[in-house]
Amino acid sequence: MAKGEGAEQSSNATLLQKPASQDEIKLASKHEQRGRLSVCSKLCYAVGGAPYQITGCALGFFLQIYLLDVALLDPFYASIILFVGRAWDAVTDPTVGFLVSRSPWTRFGRMLPWVVLSTPFAVLCYFLIWYVPPFEDGKVIWYLVFYCLFQTLQTCFHVPYTALTMFISSEQKERDSATAYRMTVEVLGTVIGTAIQGQIVGLANAPCIPVGDEFNVTTTMSMSEVNISEPRISLTHTRNAYMIASGVICAIYILCAIVLFFGVREIKEISKPKSERMSFVQGICLVMRHVPYAKLVMGFLFTSLGFMLLEGNFALFCSTTLGFRNDFQNILLVIMLSATLSIPFWQWFLTRFGKKTAVYFGSSSVIPFLILVACVESNLVVTYIVSFMAGVSVASAFLLPWSMLPDVVDDFKVANPETQGHEAIFYSFYVFFTKFASGVSLGISTLSLDFAGYITRGCSQPKEVHLTLKILVSAAPIFLIIIGLIIFVTYPINEERRQGNRKLLQEQRDNEVDSETDSTELGNLV
């Protein structure tokens, strides 16, 4: 009886408000359709993430070994370039994020113009990083300038692109799905970057110099006068190979930017700031006072730092300590292929068990294999197995930070409903902390090799160098990952809170729909 009465009352209410109800349904339906993304839109959006990962992977895996053994820089100067470049890149992230958040709306959107305008200059600077200038005195300045310029221009591409996640749809489910597409393509981008850089360069490995008991480090200044172990491949061939690889990557960079620009549409209502503009310092304080964001950043700061330390030294570890000078590029490729294949698994895992649980399992699963690769004697088959299993954990390190950042932004919106339009600051500051820390770690690691007595282009290295590399790819990453996992214990956004925020934001959007409907009705009456 109660059920019938309720249905009757609902029917009467519908009859009394039929015109308004139809308008509301139509507007709500339009709002819901606007929040949905087609597969084509998700793919075009995902393609935009490839340039950052392709270039980042090539630089992360190969720049250190390139500066030491191809550009023939002293390890001390190489460490300065790596540290200053990453530190400068970290400083530009919050600056660009703040500028992006204040950018006016254009006919192409608010984020996409940054992507298009920065692309040609970034491509040019990237190519010049892998070019050895015909002079010696200013070589360090050359690499430092173009490395910093490229990092700045790439920031102008990547910060607006990552913030675009919040602007392509108002539906959290659609944003999570688009993020999964993006992470798959980005990890695939690491495979492409590793394959292009590794395979092309691997065909022309920089020749090493035999090292005997009487070896004098000062003789490395006259490399052309020393017999090389591979006389058919000269250092010039190796340098040309690096330039060819960089040219191919530049072409892919441009193609991906074109696909992103023409395949993705920003929704003006979502992109429009809803609060008054604030100063740069105010934006920093506002973001960092949000406790879930601070804990998320600190947790991923340490876990990401562990993986970056591994990435920056693994190529040198494989070629020097393990003795796989002609196979290290294939080992790196196995890691990235494994990571690519594992992305769908981690997407299912975080959906089924929650994102916080996925962090624990994903980050900790690499620890046994890092111990194994450092303890087992040089064995190519074991190294390939360890690399494949380690790639599974690397996939979680790629996916989870970017999957959890939208949850923090949503939590911030719920806590601060009147303060909107600062999404780019959230993303840029996360990148700032991770890049700055990685710059410090890479600079220290390269400097450690210098202190350990690293011999440029040496076919063999002192025992101190091997020990240092084992620490850099095993003990140090494990220590950093454990610290990150401890911090995540206090991370407050669990699945219950995440779903609650989702419902509250949906109610806010429904209220906006109601307000628009009332305005439409009032306009019709007038």
Side-chain angles (χ1 to χ4, degrees):
M1 185 66 178
K3 181 177 180 180
E5 291 177 354
E8 184 177 355
Q9 292 175 358
S10 177
S11 177
N12 292 336
T14 303
L15 290 173
L16 291 174
Q17 300 179 359
K18 184 176 181 181
S21 179
Q22 287 179 345
D23 290 339
E24 181 178 335
I25 292 173
K26 183 182 295 185
L27 191 58
S29 176
K30 183 178 179 181
H31 180 80
E32 182 179 358
Q33 291 177 357
R34 183 177 295 178
R36 293 178 180 175
L37 295 173
S38 65
V39 174
C40 181
S41 296
K42 292 177 184 178
L43 287 174
C44 291
Y45 166 74
V47 166
Y52 180 80
Q53 296 300 338
I54 293 175
T55 56
C57 186
L59 290 169
F61 278 131
F62 295 94
L63 183 59
Q64 183 189 56
I65 198 170
Y66 167 80
L67 294 176
L68 293 175
D69 290 349
V70 179
L72 304 182
L73 294 182
D74 184 90
F76 174 76
Y77 295 116
S79 67
I80 291 178
I81 293 172
L82 292 173
F83 167 71
V84 174
R86 288 295 185 102
W88 173 257
D89 185 24
V91 172
T92 60
D93 275 291
T95 305
V96 172
F98 179 75
L99 294 175
V100 169
S101 67
R102 295 173 65 95
S103 298
W105 175 266
T106 69
R107 56 177 297 192
F108 303 109
R110 190 152 61 99
M111 304 295 167
L112 293 176
W114 284 82
V115 171
V116 174
L117 295 176
S118 65
T119 295
F121 302 102
V123 165
L124 177 62
C125 291
Y126 179 80
F127 181 80
L128 293 176
I129 290 174
W130 302 102
Y131 172 73
V132 180
F135 48 80
E136 291 294 331
D137 293 339
K139 191 183 292 185
V140 175
I141 302 298
W142 172 280
Y143 290 114
L144 186 60
V145 168
F146 285 109
Y147 188 36
C148 290
L149 283 176
F150 171 72
Q151 298 287 16
T152 302
L153 293 166
Q154 190 185 49
T155 299
C156 294
F157 180 107
H158 193 62
V159 168
Y161 171 73
T162 53
L164 192 63
T165 308
M166 303 299 299
F167 300 150
I168 57 178
S169 175
S170 60
E171 299 294 326
Q172 185 183 38
K173 182 178 180 181
E174 293 298 313
R175 295 201 303 261
D176 285 345
S177 177
T179 299
Y181 275 80
R182 172 192 156 198
M183 290 300 103
T184 302
V185 173
E186 286 196 357
V187 177
L188 182 61
T190 64
V191 176
I192 295 173
T194 305
I196 293 175
Q197 193 81 12
Q199 298 303 315
I200 293 178
V201 171
L203 297 176
N205 279 330
C208 64
I209 299 174
V211 179
D213 294 335
E214 74 284 358
F215 184 84
N216 187 352
V217 177
T218 58
T219 61
T220 59
M221 298 300 295
S222 56
M223 295 297 176
S224 60
E225 299 178 2
V226 184
N227 293 328
I228 60 176
S229 60
E230 297 179 7
R232 290 176 296 178
I233 300 178
S234 66
L235 188 59
T236 301
H237 291 123
T238 304
R239 291 175 175 177
N240 290 337
Y242 272 97
M243 291 180 62
I244 293 172
S246 65
V248 175
I249 290 176
C250 287
I252 296 175
Y253 194 117
I254 295 173
L255 179 62
C256 291
I258 293 173
V259 172
L260 175 65
F261 181 74
F262 289 103
V264 175
R265 183 176 67 89
E266 290 184 55
I267 302 176
K268 185 175 183 179
E269 286 77 7
I270 298 177
S271 300
K272 185 178 179 180
K274 299 180 181 179
S275 61
E276 296 182 358
R277 291 181 176 180
M278 58 179 61
S279 68
F280 183 66
V281 176
Q282 288 176 327
I284 296 175
C285 296
L286 183 69
V287 167
M288 296 310 300
R289 280 201 303 262
H290 193 58
V291 175
Y293 178 74
K295 292 184 177 180
L296 180 75
V297 168
M298 292 304 296
F300 277 121
L301 171 64
F302 285 97
T303 56
S304 300
L305 185 55
F307 284 104
M308 289 178 183
L309 200 60
L310 175 66
E311 177 190 60
N313 295 279
F314 197 68
L316 200 60
F317 173 75
C318 290
S319 62
T320 301
T321 302
L322 298 183
F324 304 137
R325 187 176 181 83
N326 297 321
D327 297 285
F328 77 91
Q329 68 273 11
N330 297 324
I331 296 172
L332 300 180
L333 187 59
V334 168
I335 295 177
M336 294 299 103
L337 281 172
S338 173
T340 303
L341 297 175
S342 302
I343 284 289
F345 165 76
W346 287 116
Q347 178 63 23
W348 168 84
F349 190 96
L350 67 87
T351 303
R352 178 66 178 83
F353 300 101
K355 298 179 181 180
K356 193 171 179 179
T357 304
V359 171
Y360 296 137
F361 279 88
S363 299
S364 61
S365 61
V366 75
I367 294 177
F369 302 104
L370 293 181
I371 296 174
L372 183 63
V373 76
C375 296
V376 176
E377 293 294 331
S378 179
N379 186 300
L380 187 59
V381 175
V382 173
T383 303
Y384 274 118
I385 295 174
V386 170
S387 300
F388 180 85
M389 298 306 298
V392 176
S393 184
V394 170
S396 69
F398 275 106
L399 175 63
L400 291 170
W402 301 112
S403 180
M404 296 173 73
L405 271 173
D407 299 337
V408 174
V409 176
D410 285 344
D411 189 81
F412 176 82
K413 287 182 177 181
V414 171
N416 304 273
E418 301 300 324
T419 305
Q420 303 293 335
H422 305 293
E423 291 84 358
I425 300 179
F426 278 91
Y427 282 82
S428 62
F429 263 94
Y430 166 72
V431 179
F432 163 76
F433 285 111
T434 54
K435 285 184 176 179
F436 185 82
S438 68
V440 173
S441 66
L442 288 177
I444 292 177
S445 63
T446 308
L447 197 60
S448 300
L449 294 175
D450 187 27
F451 291 150
Y454 181 84
I455 303 172
T456 303
R457 286 177 61 196
C459 292
S460 61
Q461 298 291 340
K463 293 181 180 180
E464 293 79 5
V465 172
H466 298 312
L467 178 61
T468 301
L469 286 172
K470 286 184 178 181
I471 293 174
L472 293 175
V473 302
S474 180
I478 291 173
F479 176 74
L480 293 169
I481 290 172
I482 291 175
I483 293 178
L485 294 178
I486 293 174
I487 294 175
F488 270 114
V489 173
T490 62
Y491 177 67
I493 301 180
N494 52 23
E495 286 303 300
E496 182 180 357
R497 180 167 172 175
R498 190 173 73 89
Q499 293 296 335
N501 290 338
R502 179 174 177 269
K503 291 180 181 179
L504 289 173
L505 290 175
Q506 185 62 47
E507 290 176 0
Q508 291 179 10
R509 287 192 289 267
D510 291 341
N511 291 335
E512 291 178 1
V513 171
D514 293 338
S515 299
E516 292 179 5
T517 302
D518 294 339
S519 299
T520 302
E521 292 178 356
L522 182 59
N524 292 335
L525 291 175
V526 174

